[in-house]
Amino acid sequence: MSDRPSESSLSRRTFIAASAVAGAGLALGPGALAPAAATGSSWRGVEQTFADPESRYGARFRWWWPHGLVDPQQIQAEVRDIARAGFGGMEIADVHHSVKLKDELDPAGHGWGTPAWTAAVKAALQQADRDNVTLDLTAGPSWPAAVPGLVPDDDAAIKELAHGLVTLNAGQTYDDVVPAPVVAAEDHVEKTTLIAVQAVRLVTPSTRESVLEQASLVDLTAQVEDGRITWTAPADGTWLLFSYWERGSGQLPEAGPHSSPEAFVVDHFSAAGTKAVTDFWDDHILDRELRRLIKRAGHTFFEDSLEIETGATIWTPGMLEAFRKRNGYDLTPFLPVVVEVKEKYLYTYDADLTTRVRDDLAMTFSDLYRDNHLIPLRDWAHDLGLELRIQAYGLETDTLAHSGILDQPESESLGFKNLDDYRVMAGGRDLAGRTILSCEAAAYNGAAYNVTWDRVLTTLNSIFAAGVNQAVLHGYPYAEAPGAAWPGFAAFSPYNGAPGYSEAWGPRQPSWRHVPKIADYLRRTQWVLQQGRNRSDLVFFRQKGWTATGIGAQWATNDGIPFGWSHQFVSSAALVDPAITLRDGRLAPEGPAYKAMIVEGDAFRGRRTTITVEAAQKIADLAKRGFPFVFLGDWSKPTAEGKGDAAANAAVAVAVQTALAQPNVRNVAVAADIPTALAALGVEPQVRHDRSTVVHQHRRTGDADLFMLANGRHAENRPLALVEQEVSFTATRAGDLVPYLLDAWTGEVRRAGVYRQEGQTFTLPLRLTPGSSTVVALAPRGWADPSSARAVSVVDTDAADARLDAKKVVVRASAPGAYAVSLSDGSTATALVESVPEIVALSSWTLVVEDWQPGRTPTTTDTVRSVHRLEALAPWNEIAGLEDASGVGRYTTTITLPDTWDRSTGAYLDLGSVLGSYAVKINNRSVPRTSPTDTRLDVGDLLRAGVNHVEIEVATTLFNRMRTAQPDVFGAAARVKTGLVGPVRILPYGEVTLKA
């Protein structure tokens, strides 16, 4: 029996291989091309730009330094390494969690901000200028932002509200000093300021949040004399005597010391805290030479996530005044229910009221962070010629609205729990008309030296589809540091005695030899995703613009995205911006151009139907002007967001009822009814397909619709499988359009050969392996591939595939036979494939291994060569002598093809399972398309009749060798499977060119 697969197993429909279609497009906007006409010259411009975009579109690395204990020559060598590999830049980060002997880092002489550190930064900037890559400066050492010499008592240092507590029985008298804080102050904190003293009756004790009687609250602040208070509890119940103290929190940046004197974290909610950062840079770092070096376009000033941590309650001087000004009432009576210990609330009044007050407090912090930190820091950076890139999350702040303030808002793949976490920030970016959504990408806990590029690409392609368009890979470590073992310094490995966080990229990794193709793929993909403007079908109203929560739009995740819908989020603050307008039925028409809004109850507060007065009135106005809305849940008694009052509640109720009364508004009880409501409103998705794991991002440019699609995960642990299905795309413009396919692995742009067209909707077959991506463009004829501009296309065929070769149609089949072909001009044809060779399994191999082992120093590597004859493929850990090997293996074999093999015959090389990065040569010619996420390669034009030589080079991770090199850290883990596992097969096909 033949080993040939059935035609249906390769699909009787035509599928576009993702590895052949993963790339970019054309746009108007920053760095975009002008609209292309149907001429050869415009085509060459598109082709050249997509094939080799500017370096600024390349992925970047987070570059970990052991602060200033670095050699400027080595620094410059590392900049050259990433530039030559095809990456776009590096972000200097003073991070060295793995170093145990911190004093050996010499914080006094080589710490962050010292002359030695500044000299190294200058050397890096000089080399970055020579290599045309970006270099980003981090606000302070490690994170959060901190300033050397700042002490906790300084006005600019981050503060906390610590509470003291005494429990009194009925009628008991307290006559003593004001209760001291229950949470002791950190070192170096000397100054404390009493804010208030109160007493309140305890109603219900609890190990979670004890219930207090709000009406019983007594303010005793005025009774304090000389630090003492005398007060007798009433004769009923148990009473709590509270004191509240403002003091420095004493928070230090992660894994210090980084400087001498030490740097303490600044107050991110006060102007003084931000000024401390900018003043230190202005006075101690930014000399004339450095200012000149950073003027080069593309550099950014970066700040990590808002990880403000305290054992008490986060605070800032002037909070009581700021709270009253923003919210219109006094926070003081609610101090008992907002104090925390180790991020846990201790007490509550009425649960609903308490939650509303806490929300008001969170939004006050959010506004202070925006006004006193983000905006001043952005303006200061602009004066230096820098853009501001910040991870503006970590607390309950309106990250969505803040994303529109920043030049480059940044997310992170480690802390974000699903794709909606990114869509929150993408919504803020797009509504503000900005372009970049950056991501600290591909950090995995416990995976040091065990990360493969297919895992990285699966992560990146998934988040790209959610709106990210700039990856800052985690990360690239400086070569060495005190105490670092082979293969060199790694910022997070070892970490508390365990392997720690990944990954230490660079030449120390065997896969680095294959990285240039991956870097080119990322550069082309990010070029696509930075063109024009992102478009989304739906926007979900969100009462709070928080992110990194994992709480998304449930209907969209479960039943919207799987069928092609796209969506983002909008918060109250973003929605009420006067710049958010309605035109031609689209909200924010120059940006995401939403078709409809879904209004849900508060996902963070039990789906409570609350909304701010301003947002409710904006929704009512938009509804009256005809914009479609779907309200989900019971909105018969909405209330104002936060504590509000009767007048605010009434205003919200009127606005919501006004909206619900409009003919373009629907109110559904359950999420399952959302599709029916959208259909009744005439709202349709731009992309349609059967249920699958496909996700996409749509970019609209001056003359093209670009659709980047990925077979991606909503969460890291979601399983993926091969997707083969038809996908329909609707253009946003009229005209004589055709679909193009863009391959980010090769830089090729070609017109699609197989599709159906109904009006401005184009239906294409799609093949996406797990983690892979593809790009489809809808653009005018001649926008690209002018040789086939007027060629007829294939509407339907029972062959395996078809493509356009200039004006001709080439039909491909995996078995001999006569195949029916329906063409776009209405004609039909028959493609006769006379013969197709049998499938060939490649099982016998010669494997030459270069096993990477520790050299004489922590940064040198020795290679041990061995040769293995394999009659069957197996992982390295199952091959004698390679059980602990890591490195590079070259698999070679020969295959003899029949004399009938000619230009009408081709083949796929199916590698099966490859555990590592790889490169392939056929007859000493490289196969250009080698995606780690798709191991089926089209090698038809490389094979010939007679003897053919096949070479497959596989680079493994270093993990198995690390088990023996650092057994105290990695030895307890089991060996991992690496290498070429297969099965490897030649899958022949026949091709027939239809007569014109």
Side-chain angles (χ1 to χ4, degrees):
M1 178 178 289
S2 169
D3 191 30
R4 186 192 318 279
S6 67
E7 189 71 22
S8 61
S9 69
L10 292 178
S11 179
R12 296 182 65 84
R13 300 295 307 159
T14 307
F15 290 97
I16 301 167
S19 59
V21 198
L26 183 66
L28 295 179
L33 301 175
T39 66
S41 61
S42 65
W43 158 244
R44 285 194 297 272
V46 175
E47 179 184 49
Q48 292 167 0
T49 302
F50 174 57
D52 189 21
E54 297 176 49
S55 63
R56 64 191 177 95
Y57 292 103
R60 305 178 186 184
F61 279 108
R62 180 154 293 184
W63 190 13
W64 296 307
W65 288 15
H67 44 244
L69 198 65
V70 295
D71 175 19
Q73 290 186 333
Q74 176 63 28
I75 286 293
Q76 294 185 331
E78 293 180 3
V79 174
R80 287 195 299 270
D81 282 339
I82 69 102
R84 291 172 181 174
F87 292 94
M90 305 177 87
E91 166 208 310
I92 298 174
D94 189 33
V95 178
H96 40 74
H97 288 56
S98 63
V99 177
K100 294 181 179 179
L101 304 176
K102 303 294 184 181
D103 289 344
E104 293 190 13
L105 292 173
D106 184 24
H110 291 83
W112 185 89
T114 59
W117 179 88
T118 303
V121 171
K122 291 177 181 178
L125 282 163
Q126 291 164 355
Q127 190 64 42
D129 188 54
R130 287 190 284 267
D131 288 329
N132 195 32
V133 295
T134 62
L135 195 69
D136 304 333
L137 305 174
T138 304
S142 193
W143 71 90
V147 170
L150 189 72
V151 298
D153 293 339
D154 290 341
D155 290 343
I158 187 65
K159 297 297 186 287
E160 65 184 4
L161 185 69
H163 75 278
L165 179 68
V166 172
T167 302
L168 301 175
N169 296 323
Q172 183 178 354
T173 297
Y174 181 84
D175 182 9
D176 206 337
V177 296
V178 174
V182 298
V183 176
E186 294 290 335
D187 292 342
H188 307 288
V189 177
E190 298 179 359
K191 179 182 177 183
T192 60
T193 301
L194 183 66
I195 299 298
V197 177
Q198 299 170 333
V200 63
R201 193 167 74 88
L202 175 66
V203 177
T204 308
S206 173
T207 57
R208 301 186 66 182
E209 293 186 25
S210 297
V211 179
L212 307 178
E213 182 184 15
Q214 180 188 0
S216 70
L217 184 78
V218 180
D219 192 317
L220 305 173
T221 309
Q223 298 183 28
V224 176
E225 294 184 8
D226 298 326
R228 297 181 63 88
I229 187 168
T230 301
W231 183 74
T232 301
D236 58 331
T238 301
W239 290 75
L240 304 181
L241 181 67
F242 285 98
S243 60
Y244 307 96
W245 304 86
E246 180 181 288
R247 69 188 184 194
S249 75
Q251 184 177 359
L252 293 162
E254 285 266 341
H258 300 272
S259 60
S260 181
E262 281 194 300
F264 282 87
V265 174
V266 302
D267 185 351
H268 287 63
F269 311 104
S270 73
T274 302
K275 190 173 186 297
V277 174
T278 58
D279 282 354
F280 187 88
W281 278 85
D282 287 337
D283 298 340
H284 298 279
I285 298 176
L286 293 171
D287 59 20
R288 181 177 299 177
E289 181 184 9
L290 192 54
R291 289 175 184 271
R292 177 183 59 81
L293 288 169
I294 63 176
K295 281 288 185 182
R296 181 182 175 275
H299 300 317
T300 73
F301 193 76
F302 171 73
E303 187 177 352
D304 214 311
S305 51
L306 191 60
E307 297 181 33
I308 305 300
E309 299 172 352
T310 172
T313 308
I314 297 173
W315 199 247
T316 187
M319 170 53 80
L320 293 176
E321 294 80 5
F323 185 92
R324 180 187 292 276
K325 182 178 180 181
R326 182 192 186 278
N327 300 289
Y329 67 96
D330 187 8
L331 178 64
T332 307
F334 298 94
L335 289 178
V337 297
V338 299
V339 294
E340 298 174 86
V341 171
K342 296 182 178 178
E343 301 182 3
K344 301 289 185 182
Y345 292 112
L346 306 176
Y347 304 100
T348 182
Y349 295 147
D350 170 80
D352 181 70
L353 173 63
T354 297
T355 300
R356 290 173 180 271
V357 172
R358 291 170 181 170
D359 285 349
D360 283 341
L361 179 59
M363 284 307 300
T364 305
F365 272 116
S366 182
D367 291 351
L368 293 173
Y369 177 52
R370 175 196 64 204
D371 296 340
N372 292 333
H373 191 74
L374 297 182
I375 293 175
L377 197 60
R378 181 197 64 191
D379 294 345
W380 173 83
H382 287 181
D383 287 342
L384 294 170
L386 299 171
E387 290 194 341
L388 183 63
R389 177 166 60 90
I390 288 187
Q391 296 178 352
Y393 53 85
L395 298 177
E396 294 175 344
T397 52
D398 193 346
T399 304
L400 189 151
H402 295 165
S403 295
I405 293 170
L406 303 169
D407 301 304
Q408 297 183 14
E410 181 163 286
S411 55
E412 64 171 288
S413 65
L414 179 66
F416 282 24
K417 301 172 179 62
N418 59 23
L419 296 188
D420 274 355
D421 280 342
Y422 302 97
R423 294 187 181 99
V424 168
M425 297 183 69
R429 171 202 64 183
D430 293 338
L431 286 167
R434 299 191 180 275
T435 299
I436 300 297
L437 175 56
S438 188
C439 182
E440 175 191 351
Y444 308 103
N445 186 15
Y449 295 105
N450 196 22
V451 176
T452 57
W453 279 102
D454 64 319
R455 184 178 185 183
V456 172
L457 289 170
T458 297
T459 296
L460 291 179
N461 287 332
S462 300
I463 65 178
F464 284 158
V468 170
N469 53 12
Q470 176 177 278
V472 182
L473 294 168
H474 186 287
Y476 191 112
Y478 180 73
E480 55 187 331
W486 183 84
F489 164 63
F492 297 101
S493 184
Y495 190 75
N496 293 331
Y501 292 87
S502 62
E503 185 56 83
W505 298 113
R508 69 178 66 183
Q509 295 278 2
S511 64
W512 195 250
R513 67 187 61 215
H514 300 148
V515 156
K517 285 189 176 182
I518 295 170
D520 287 346
Y521 165 81
L522 294 174
R523 184 160 47 98
R524 294 179 185 124
T525 300
Q526 293 189 166
W527 183 85
V528 173
L529 298 177
Q530 293 181 32
Q531 304 309 302
R533 297 298 180 194
N534 189 42
R535 302 292 289 266
S536 292
D537 299 322
L538 306 173
V539 60
F540 282 76
F541 175 78
R542 177 145 283 186
Q543 286 80 354
K544 300 172 176 63
W546 305 347
T547 195
T549 65
I551 298 176
Q554 293 180 355
W555 170 80
T557 297
N558 296 334
D559 296 303
I561 297 167
F563 291 98
W565 288 96
S566 61
H567 73 281
Q568 291 181 338
F569 298 87
V570 63
S571 65
S572 298
L575 177 62
V576 301
D577 189 320
I580 307 305
T581 60
L582 180 68
R583 190 179 70 245
D584 299 329
R586 296 295 183 92
L587 186 63
E590 301 301 324
Y594 303 124
K595 302 173 183 178
M597 182 183 294
I598 313 295
V599 183
E600 298 182 299
D602 190 341
F604 301 99
R605 298 291 183 249
R607 301 292 171 183
R608 185 176 63 195
T609 52
T610 60
I611 189 170
T612 65
V613 173
E614 296 79 7
Q617 292 172 342
K618 180 71 172 278
I619 287 173
D621 176 65
L622 292 171
K624 287 190 292 184
R625 294 169 59 194
F627 187 66
F629 285 89
V630 177
F631 281 75
L632 175 61
D634 182 2
W635 283 85
S636 61
K637 296 179 180 179
T639 58
E641 180 76 1
K643 179 176 178 291
D645 54 28
N649 290 337
V652 164
V654 169
V656 170
Q657 291 308 313
T658 299
L660 289 172
Q662 306 308 311
N664 47 288
V665 178
R666 298 289 185 275
N667 188 185
V668 298
V670 294
D673 293 333
I674 290 177
T676 302
L678 291 172
L681 295 169
V683 179
E684 297 181 346
Q686 212 73 30
V687 174
R688 293 178 180 270
H689 50 74
D690 290 341
R691 178 180 286 276
S692 71
T693 51
V694 172
V695 289
H696 78 273
Q697 181 180 169
H698 173 203
R699 308 288 299 188
R700 188 183 192 274
T701 74
D703 57 359
D705 286 293
L706 306 174
F707 299 90
M708 182 273 183
L709 304 99
N711 183 358
R713 292 188 172 100
H714 287 279
E716 188 62 33
N717 59 355
R718 182 170 182 169
L720 297 174
L722 174 69
V723 170
E724 292 181 308
Q725 65 180 171
E726 288 189 330
V727 179
S728 297
F729 307 87
T730 300
T732 62
R733 53 177 50 79
D736 185 14
L737 308 178
V738 292
Y740 295 88
L741 312 175
L742 299 95
D743 186 345
W745 289 104
T746 65
E748 178 188 15
V749 183
R750 61 183 175 87
R751 191 181 146 194
V754 183
Y755 62 91
R756 298 192 309 276
Q757 181 179 357
E758 297 179 18
Q760 296 306 104
T761 297
F762 300 80
T763 300
L764 287 72
L766 177 73
R767 176 181 181 272
L768 282 170
T769 54
S772 64
S773 73
T774 188
V775 172
V776 175
L778 303 182
R781 289 180 191 271
W783 177 80
D785 196 6
S787 65
S788 62
R790 294 297 164 186
V792 297
S793 57
V794 175
V795 174
D796 195 15
T797 180
D798 55 358
D801 199 0
R803 59 184 172 85
L804 297 179
D805 184 359
K807 295 182 179 181
K808 298 178 181 179
V809 174
V810 180
V811 177
R812 178 178 293 183
S814 60
Y819 296 92
V821 182
S822 299
L823 300 171
S824 59
D825 62 1
S827 64
T828 60
T830 299
L832 180 61
V833 178
E834 295 184 348
S835 66
V836 177
E838 298 291 319
I839 287 176
V840 180
L842 306 181
S843 55
S844 298
W845 299 85
T846 298
L847 169 60
V848 179
V849 170
E850 293 178 3
D851 181 12
W852 289 28
Q853 299 184 9
R856 292 179 295 104
T857 70
T859 59
T860 58
T861 297
D862 293 337
T863 58
V864 177
R865 185 176 183 273
S866 60
V867 180
H868 307 264
R869 309 295 180 186
L870 306 178
E871 294 305 317
L873 291 171
W876 286 15
N877 62 306
E878 298 177 11
I879 299 174
L882 298 181
E883 293 88 348
D884 294 310
S886 296
V888 180
R890 293 178 181 84
Y891 297 77
T892 57
T893 191
T894 60
I895 175 176
T896 302
L897 299 177
D899 293 340
T900 55
W901 196 285
D902 57 21
R903 291 188 176 182
S904 68
T905 306
Y908 296 105
L909 175 62
D910 187 346
L911 301 179
S913 177
V914 183
L915 305 177
S917 62
Y918 70 92
V920 177
K921 289 183 178 180
I922 304 291
N923 296 321
N924 208 35
R925 294 171 61 192
S926 295
V927 177
R929 189 184 307 112
T930 49
S931 164
T933 59
D934 190 352
T935 57
R936 194 189 76 168
L937 313 176
D938 191 347
V939 296
D941 59 342
L942 300 179
L943 295 168
R944 63 197 179 200
V947 177
N948 292 264
H949 296 271
V950 178
E951 177 183 309
I952 303 170
E953 179 184 83
V954 177
T956 75
T957 68
L958 282 178
F959 188 79
N960 285 345
R961 180 52 63 200
M962 295 298 291
R963 294 178 66 257
T964 63
Q966 295 187 36
D968 55 328
V969 178
F970 296 88
R975 296 183 179 108
V976 298
K977 295 182 177 181
T978 59
L980 177 63
V981 179
V984 180
R985 300 182 300 164
I986 299 290
L987 308 177
Y989 55 76
E991 289 192 330
V992 175
T993 301
L994 300 182
K995 295 181 179 180

